[in-house]
Amino acid sequence: MENEELDQNSIIRDFREFEKQSWDKWQSLYKQIKEDRKFIAGDQSDEVDKKLIGDNVTECRLNIVQNAIRTITNTYLPNQYKWQYEDQPEVTTKADEFLSDIDNNTACVEALQNAIGTGLGVLVFSNDFDIDGSVKNCLYSIADVTNVRLDPVATKLNFADAKRAAIVELKPREWIEDNYGTSMFTEEPLIDIEDKSYDHKQLMPLVTYYLKQKDQIFVFKMLGTEIVEQINLPYSYIPVVPVFGEQIWEGKKQTYTGITKQMRPIQRLVNYAYRQLILRCSKAPKNTWLTDSESTEGYGEFYKNSDISLNPHLKYRGWSAD
């Protein structure tokens, strides 16, 4: 699209082509990320577990994966992110002030946690309103990175050579009607995504499309069949920065992974051992009482829970020769 005019039809066509190429390259990673997120949240059983322990056995989990993510993240925290500009100390100082801002620092940590846990975090440079109403530059971390479309042909690790990027927000139709009106609702919208798993009756993709052309960065908000907003950014690079986990090979394809995928066998082993320990403890011998039926009449509840109660007294009826 280098020599095309920035008209609406060519931009939408360019986005559709880019989105398909990006999805084709990154969808396997996104699938793994979704599985890893479920695993971190505690959904840690699969068909192998069911064959080994049965369908009706109570599961017991001790989530060590989540602790591992926190531990690895904490090792990075003393070494804050920094940008160094040679022979430009004043620029370096400004960059340090920007990154040390509590909100920007939190965004960096969130992206780092995503990269450690599932293999990918994404930071975005943007603008926001400060407390006094002024506009300030800021960083934010994309919560669901599977809604980001990265340049499939970028080669640099920080994607400084990226020409395109997109962020997809799946918005409820009520929200779209309130903000853009009902004219956006069409049976066959031009602006759609390759991931068809969302509910098309309830949701619509609102796309923020970044395009670098002739050393200029253009941003387009697209919805339904049209571009609803267009701005130029005073940046040299696409302001969508991926933070990758560990680089691995899957067959002939290079991709990324987090600690979750690597720790699945360990987590499974811990869950098995934890479950066995709980079962053994629950089946440990209880206190046994041999008494005359009349001596404990009316006090059965006291004896039934005597091995777990904190009450040191057990009531009984006095013996009588009668």
Side-chain angles (χ1 to χ4, degrees), residues 18-300:
F18 157 76
E19 199 273 336
K20 184 180 186 309
Q21 294 169 1
S22 178
W23 178 252
D24 289 343
K25 178 170 182 178
W26 301 104
Q27 64 172 314
S28 60
L29 174 59
Y30 290 166
K31 180 181 178 181
Q32 182 63 53
I33 288 173
K34 291 179 179 179
E35 292 176 357
D36 286 347
R37 289 191 308 212
K38 289 173 60 179
F39 195 85
I40 295 170
D43 186 0
Q44 297 174 348
S45 299
D46 56 20
E47 294 301 320
V48 175
D49 299 299
K50 291 179 180 179
K51 289 179 180 179
L52 292 175
I53 64 176
D55 293 334
N56 301 319
V57 177
T58 302
E59 297 177 11
C60 301
R61 305 182 188 90
L62 188 63
N63 200 330
I64 63 170
V65 172
Q66 205 163 40
N67 290 335
I69 294 171
R70 294 193 191 101
T71 301
I72 297 171
T73 301
N74 289 338
T75 62
Y76 283 90
L77 294 185
N79 304 307
Q80 298 296 324
Y81 297 94
K82 291 184 180 296
W83 288 327
Q84 297 292 334
Y85 294 86
E86 295 182 2
D87 302 324
Q88 299 185 63
E90 69 285 352
V91 179
T92 299
T93 301
K94 286 289 185 182
D96 288 343
E97 291 175 355
F98 175 76
L99 290 175
S100 62
D101 177 87
I102 186 169
D103 293 328
N104 297 338
N105 183 265
T106 300
C108 291
V109 173
E110 289 174 352
L112 175 63
Q113 284 181 318
N114 286 337
I116 292 170
T118 62
L120 177 64
V122 177
L123 286 169
V124 179
F125 289 84
S126 186
N127 298 318
D128 200 358
F129 290 102
D130 208 342
I131 298 176
D132 60 3
S134 61
V135 177
K136 69 170 185 176
N137 295 325
C138 66
L139 275 175
Y140 69 92
S141 174
I142 299 293
D144 188 355
V145 297
T146 63
N147 286 334
V148 178
R149 300 295 180 265
L150 299 171
D151 194 332
V153 297
T155 56
K156 293 186 177 181
L157 189 61
N158 62 358
F159 274 46
D161 57 341
K163 298 289 186 180
R164 293 166 174 79
I167 300 171
V168 179
E169 300 174 82
L170 296 174
K171 294 292 189 180
R173 287 179 175 264
E174 294 81 1
W175 184 91
I176 293 172
E177 183 176 354
D178 291 341
N179 290 272
Y180 293 100
T182 57
S183 61
M184 297 296 170
F185 302 149
T186 58
E187 292 185 3
E188 295 183 3
L190 294 176
I191 297 138
D192 203 356
I193 56 177
E194 290 296 311
D195 183 3
K196 306 300 182 183
S197 61
Y198 72 93
D199 187 348
H200 287 67
K201 294 182 179 180
Q202 300 295 328
L203 303 171
M204 286 184 66
L206 174 64
V207 176
T208 303
Y209 182 42
Y210 298 86
L211 175 64
K212 183 176 182 179
Q213 188 177 70
K214 298 178 181 178
D215 295 326
Q216 287 185 295
I217 307 296
F218 301 93
V219 184
F220 306 96
K221 284 271 189 180
M222 300 188 291
L223 177 66
T225 59
E226 60 186 85
I227 297 172
V228 296
E229 185 180 349
Q230 175 182 338
I231 59 173
N232 294 4
L233 294 179
Y235 299 152
S236 301
Y237 306 102
I238 298 285
V240 179
V241 183
V243 182
F244 291 110
E246 183 176 349
Q247 195 174 69
I248 62 171
W249 286 90
E250 287 186 350
K252 297 181 179 180
K253 183 178 179 182
Q254 199 174 53
T255 184
Y256 300 88
T257 186
I259 195 69
T260 304
K261 184 177 180 180
Q262 300 176 43
M263 289 190 66
R264 280 174 181 265
I266 301 171
Q267 179 67 69
R268 174 177 284 130
L269 181 61
V270 169
N271 288 347
Y272 287 173
Y274 184 51
R275 174 178 170 272
Q276 288 298 320
L277 179 61
I278 289 178
L279 289 176
R280 290 184 183 186
C281 289
S282 66
K283 293 179 179 179
K286 305 291 191 297
N287 293 334
T288 302
W289 301 90
L290 296 176
T291 65
D292 182 88
S293 60
E294 292 184 1
S295 64
T296 57
E297 185 178 355
Y299 299 130

